[in-house]
Amino acid sequence: MSRPKPQVLVELTNRNTYKTEQVLAAEGIWAVFFDSHPINLKTSNLLVQYPGPKYKKVSFSNQGHAINLAKKLNTQFRTNKFSVVLLTQGETIFSHDKT
């Protein structure tokens, strides 16, 4: 079964580079939570300080990626406290219209 075509909300093509940017509609954002709380995920190496810690993605526009990460973290930390939450609304903290 093929994936359904995404709904294109707006599209812009750069005539110099021939690159096209498309804004696609999404159901929402899926985020990985720990014990019902939002998280960040940081990795670092105890032996080497350079290039420093890396922060990994914990929110995705595709639910499959979020579910796979939650499963991986539950296995890695031997727990069942990692879950996936669908975010469909929230407080607007930036808008060009607001001053």
Side-chain angles (χ1 to χ4, degrees):
M1 184 173 182
S2 64
R3 189 181 287 201
K5 266 193 158 180
Q7 178 187 0
V8 178
L9 301 176
V10 66
E11 179 177 283
L12 179 67
T13 302
N14 183 321
R15 293 177 188 226
N16 296 324
T17 63
Y18 301 100
K19 288 186 179 180
T20 299
E21 299 275 348
Q22 293 181 327
V23 177
L24 307 176
E27 275 185 66
I29 299 296
W30 286 268
V32 177
F33 277 44
F34 178 75
D35 204 16
S36 301
H37 297 287
I39 62 167
N40 282 320
L41 186 58
K42 179 176 84 168
T43 62
S44 56
N45 188 322
L46 294 175
L47 300 177
V48 182
Q49 296 300 319
Y50 181 79
K54 285 196 157 198
Y55 288 85
K56 294 185 173 183
K57 285 179 61 170
V58 293
S59 60
F60 305 90
S61 58
N62 180 308
Q63 70 178 355
H65 297 304
I67 290 170
N68 288 340
L69 178 60
K71 286 179 181 179
K72 175 186 165 197
L73 292 172
N74 277 324
T75 301
Q76 184 176 335
F77 288 95
R78 295 185 179 123
T79 186
N80 63 355
K81 293 186 177 185
F82 289 98
S83 61
V84 176
V85 176
L86 174 60
L87 309 172
T88 57
Q89 293 183 351
E91 176 185 357
T92 301
I93 58 165
F94 172 80
S95 174
H96 195 285
D97 298 337
K98 292 184 178 181
T99 47

